[in-house]
């Protein structure tokens, strides 16, 4: 099974009231601490990574963020998902390639930036995630049968 398969399996078949908790390592050292504590997967937080690199959240250059994700993923044997801001304006194929090169098995993307859509992507991201209140289309209209993540608030 691949890291992505392992990560997917952690999400499916969970009993009600048994949430999947993904701690957010800021760097390789904290990732190892979380892994040693028994967490089955990790999710890098953009704000934490930014702080560890001396930036404000949202201001980390793409190359530095992907390098930080790579250091984190290399340091542990559990799957690592990455918060990569709004995708840095990368085309989807390039974004996925960069994530895979960094060793990440998934990502989350910002769907807003201070109330404004980042690089024109709010409707696309909202619709793909099934958040129809933001984009006005049903998940089925987007080719998806359900939502992902918490409802917008």
């Amino acid at each position: 099974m691949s890291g992505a398969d392992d990560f997917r399996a952690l999400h499916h078949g969970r009993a009600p009231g048994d949430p999947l908790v993904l701690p957010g390592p800021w760097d390789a050292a904290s990732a190892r601490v979380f892994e040693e504590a028994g967490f089955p997967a990790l999710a890098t937080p953009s704000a934490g990574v930014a702080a560890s690199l001396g930036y404000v959240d949202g201001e980390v250059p793409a190359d530095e963020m992907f390098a930080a994700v790579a250091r984190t993923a290399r340091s542990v044997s559990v799957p690592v998902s990455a918060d990569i801001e709004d995708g840095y304006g990368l085309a989807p194929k390039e974004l996925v390639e960069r994530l895979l090169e960094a060793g990440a098995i998934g990502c989350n993307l910002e769907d807003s930036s201070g109330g404004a859509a980042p690089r024109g992507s709010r409707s696309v991201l909202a619709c793909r995630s099934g958040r129809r209140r933001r984009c006005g289309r049903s998940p089925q209209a987007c080719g998806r049968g359900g939502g992902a993540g918490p409802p917008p608030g």
Side-chain angles (χ1 to χ4, degrees):
M1 209 183 309
S2 73
D5 291 334
D6 293 341
F7 191 67
R8 189 176 299 110
L10 291 170
H11 282 82
H12 296 283
R14 299 189 75 80
D18 181 26
L20 175 60
V21 176
L22 300 175
W26 292 25
D27 55 21
S30 59
R32 287 189 297 271
V33 169
F34 288 132
E35 180 182 38
E36 290 170 8
F39 288 96
L42 308 174
T44 64
S46 64
V49 173
S52 74
L53 297 172
Y55 290 96
V56 173
D57 190 27
E59 295 183 4
V60 178
D63 289 343
E64 288 193 51
M65 181 61 79
F66 285 105
V69 169
R71 286 189 299 274
T72 298
R74 256 192 332 262
S75 72
V76 294
S77 61
V78 297
V80 175
S81 182
D83 179 342
I84 50 160
E85 303 291 355
D86 64 359
Y88 296 101
L90 299 172
K93 182 178 180 188
E94 182 181 358
L95 179 61
V96 169
E97 288 170 353
R98 301 255 338 242
L99 285 165
L100 292 174
E101 288 170 7
I105 51 75
C107 73
N108 60 294
L109 298 168
E110 307 294 338
D111 63 357
S112 66
S113 177
R119 298 182 182 97
S121 61
R122 180 184 227 162
S123 294
V124 172
L125 291 174
C127 207
R128 286 186 182 156
S129 70
R131 293 178 178 158
R132 60 179 167 244
R133 285 189 287 178
R134 288 216 177 139
C135 73
R137 296 174 62 195
S138 72
Q140 291 75 19
C142 298
R144 298 260 324 223

